[in-house]
Amino acid sequence: MDINDTLERLNEAMELHIAGNFEDAEPIYQEILATEPDNPDANHLLGLVRNEQDRAREAMALIEKAIGINPNAAPFHHNIAGIYRRVGRLADAQASFRRAISLKPDYGEAYQGLAEMVTFERSDPFYHQVMNQLKSPGLADNVRCYFHFAAGKFLDDIGEYKSAFAHYKSGNAAAKKEFDSAEFRQQVKDTIYVFSQKHVNAMETVGDPSEQPVFIIGMPRSGTSLIEQILASHPSVYGAGELNEMKLVARHAAQISRSGQTYPNCVPGLTGAQYQTLASEYLKLLQPLVPGTFKRVVDKHPLNFQFAGLILLMFPNARIIHTERDPLDTCISCFFQNFTKGQNYSFDLIKLAHFYNDYRRLMEHWDTVFPGRILSFRYEQMLANQEDETRRLLDYCGLDFDPACLDFHKTQRTVKTASFLQVRKPLYKTSQQRWRSYAEHLQEVASILGIEIEVPVTITNTNSIVSG
């Protein structure tokens, strides 16, 4: 294969790869490597496919080989940094992000990746590096977004909250994410309507009796990753991460329903046998993701709160854990997180507050029609009474107590969510009441949420890094 043929095949595979078609991209990368085993791009890209397939060890080996062949390719260092931090190699991840930045000083995504891993000191030159990049003419919005989130994190770390908020606000705006609050509110109304007490009563025992599935639901940044890490530290539990399988199941529900409507309006047209069909489909989707046999398998996609009713009719014996955290802490934490996909409501504080209200309204409905079925778990209570709350969690899941669940931060496993760093530390309380540092920006949010707050009087810091 000559160089032009290789480039043509690489471009073909990359188009498939970018579209999410890993199954068809993979053999092309392998074909190139069969004749050119030292092709750095094919090694790197196949490594990214392996990472998507949750084969992290192979992914790291391939990308490390690519770096050995071409050590000056910034994307190689950036992408392996993301894998290193998922598997807990945090020092290697930090070094790789820094290497990517040194090779490509305008690599906005690498700045954000590094910022998410470091607790900055005021003397660190990082902020000035970021600001120099933000002054670059013609900076694309998607790159500007990364720099603003990185600057916001630095300023939050050193206590420059007013300037931090300004950067976070600019970063969210630069992301240009769209979300239709009215459409989501209607979806919630429809869900509440179709999962009536009458429908639930008629179908509550028709599903699959399996006790294996455990679902952790709630708002993002509310402690879902922490609860999964605690459970996954138990030898009888596999933490499968944030799965999208329930979305696929809901889509299939619409296809087999007699109603001919999309989810959730398809629900009245489902028969008892079809709930069993959907349950079997979910368990079948789960099988290739779980390495071995486990008593419990955790799906911790927080937005599965939309499907809690469907889950409990599919699996009458499933456990659902609803994580809750202070609403303002939850909202500010979501707003400060540059989610890659699926959380478009979080990029606008007002839409975020309305989304929170709709989520809360739906959770109240589930508690009404499925009384006592969903375990409410407060993040703040876990911080205050770790062992008692851990025992309560394990008891609900039908598991014996295991001390490893108290030392959850020592458990070695891949963590793909934004909480990759938090779950590798013992419990800490510094994130409680974080919203108070940003109270002056949260008046309207608090009003929407029905919370009264007082804005504290602050004294301007005359030594501010951003003054003058």
Side-chain angles (χ1 to χ4, degrees):
M1 191 180 295
D2 65 30
I3 189 169
N4 290 327
D5 288 338
T6 298
L7 287 174
E8 185 177 332
R9 292 294 278 161
L10 269 176
N11 287 331
E12 179 186 348
M14 286 175 65
E15 286 184 16
L16 294 166
H17 193 152
I18 292 168
N21 187 351
F22 307 118
E23 187 175 338
D24 290 335
E26 178 182 350
I28 300 176
Y29 297 141
Q30 291 173 321
E31 174 192 332
I32 294 168
L33 290 173
T35 55
E36 300 177 42
D38 289 335
N39 184 296
D41 294 312
N43 275 286
H44 169 236
L45 292 165
L46 182 58
L48 296 183
V49 170
R50 291 287 178 262
N51 183 51
E52 292 291 338
Q53 296 169 335
D54 289 331
R55 295 158 68 176
R57 186 174 298 179
E58 294 173 62
M60 290 184 288
L62 285 161
I63 302 176
E64 285 166 353
K65 180 179 179 181
I67 290 171
I69 300 164
N70 181 7
N72 295 321
F76 295 2
H77 294 278
H78 172 266
N79 289 334
I80 202 166
I83 302 172
Y84 282 152
R85 74 181 190 181
R86 287 180 175 185
V87 300
R89 292 174 57 177
L90 303 182
D92 291 332
Q94 188 177 143
S96 295
F97 279 129
R98 292 189 187 279
R99 180 60 177 154
I101 290 169
S102 70
L103 290 167
K104 192 177 187 305
D106 63 348
Y107 206 153
E109 193 171 359
Y111 282 85
Q112 180 186 289
L114 178 61
E116 290 171 345
M117 302 196 64
V118 175
T119 300
F120 292 105
E121 301 289 339
R122 187 175 291 271
S123 59
D124 196 303
F126 181 85
Y127 176 75
H128 294 294
Q129 293 174 314
V130 169
M131 293 307 294
N132 285 337
Q133 293 300 325
L134 280 170
K135 294 173 185 174
S136 301
L139 195 64
D141 281 335
N142 65 317
V143 179
R144 185 178 299 279
C145 170
Y146 292 125
F147 281 119
H148 278 301
F149 274 96
K153 172 58 166 55
F154 178 94
L155 293 163
D156 180 80
D157 281 351
I158 67 168
E160 295 280 358
Y161 301 120
K162 187 170 184 178
S163 297
F165 187 86
H167 276 288
Y168 279 125
K169 186 175 182 180
S170 295
N172 278 285
K176 297 188 180 301
K177 298 290 180 72
E178 298 293 332
F179 183 76
D180 190 332
S181 295
E183 180 181 348
F184 182 72
R185 185 166 299 114
Q186 186 60 53
Q187 180 183 321
V188 168
K189 289 179 180 178
D190 290 344
T191 302
I192 290 172
Y193 178 77
V194 299
F195 283 97
S196 64
Q197 191 69 69
K198 181 179 179 181
H199 183 76
V200 168
N201 290 346
M203 298 291 180
E204 62 182 348
T205 60
V206 300
D208 190 294
S210 173
E211 295 186 50
Q212 188 181 44
V214 177
F215 297 85
I216 301 174
I217 63 174
M219 282 290 291
R221 315 299 293 156
S222 66
T224 56
S225 292
L226 171 63
I227 300 306
E228 184 197 28
Q229 182 77 355
I230 292 169
L231 287 174
S233 299
H234 195 285
S236 298
V237 179
Y238 181 72
E242 291 189 3
L243 304 181
N244 287 307
E245 271 58 27
M246 277 308 303
K247 287 184 181 178
L248 301 177
V249 170
R251 196 175 301 155
H252 188 210
Q255 293 169 351
I256 63 176
S257 170
R258 294 166 298 180
S259 70
Q261 298 191 63
T262 59
Y263 188 86
N265 293 313
C266 63
V267 166
L270 293 173
T271 65
Q274 286 173 328
Y275 279 111
Q276 292 182 13
T277 298
L278 296 173
S280 297
E281 179 189 355
Y282 178 83
L283 293 174
K284 185 177 180 181
L285 290 169
L286 216 59
Q287 280 180 351
L289 306 177
V290 182
T293 302
F294 291 85
K295 189 174 182 179
R296 303 283 181 264
V297 176
V298 180
D299 178 344
K300 66 131 293 193
H301 201 305
L303 299 191
N304 277 341
F305 73 79
Q306 300 168 86
F307 307 122
L310 182 61
I311 290 167
L312 288 173
L313 295 184
M314 287 165 49
F315 297 107
N317 297 318
R319 272 76 169 183
I320 299 184
I321 300 155
H322 173 211
T323 64
E324 298 180 84
R325 182 186 177 193
D326 180 283
L328 292 175
D329 276 342
T330 301
C331 287
I332 202 70
S333 187
C334 285
F335 191 63
F336 288 177
Q337 183 66 47
N338 186 12
F339 291 105
T340 53
K341 58 184 178 180
Q343 319 289 354
N344 286 9
Y345 59 87
S346 72
F347 290 82
D348 180 291
L349 266 178
I350 305 308
K351 289 184 177 181
L352 174 56
H354 285 299
F355 183 92
Y356 190 97
N357 273 346
D358 290 328
Y359 136 78
R360 186 162 51 186
R361 187 175 299 117
L362 187 52
M363 288 309 307
E364 288 170 355
H365 177 71
W366 297 138
D367 285 334
T368 298
V369 295
F370 295 100
R373 293 294 312 282
I374 299 173
L375 180 70
S376 178
F377 212 89
R378 291 286 308 187
Y379 175 76
E380 291 83 2
Q381 289 176 358
M382 172 59 81
L383 297 184
N385 300 290
Q386 182 184 0
E387 183 170 342
D388 288 348
E389 289 299 291
T390 299
R391 287 182 180 275
R392 185 168 74 94
L393 179 66
L394 295 175
D395 184 61
Y396 171 75
C397 292
L399 299 167
D400 293 332
F401 176 75
D402 192 297
C405 296
L406 296 179
D407 291 324
F408 61 85
H409 55 286
K410 297 178 181 178
T411 300
Q412 296 300 310
R413 55 185 290 268
T414 300
V415 180
K416 297 182 179 180
T417 67
S419 298
F420 65 91
L421 192 59
Q422 291 92 327
V423 299
R424 302 194 191 280
K425 298 178 180 180
L427 287 180
Y428 56 92
K429 299 182 180 181
T430 53
S431 59
Q432 277 188 283
Q433 299 290 292
R434 185 186 186 193
W435 67 266
R436 292 189 181 279
S437 300
Y438 297 95
E440 63 180 298
H441 306 289
L442 297 175
Q443 290 287 326
E444 188 172 359
V445 171
S447 178
I448 293 168
L449 296 177
I451 300 171
E452 290 188 15
I453 63 173
E454 292 183 9
V455 178
V457 177
T458 57
I459 300 173
T460 303
N461 182 357
T462 55
N463 295 318
S464 172
I465 195 171
V466 294
S467 63

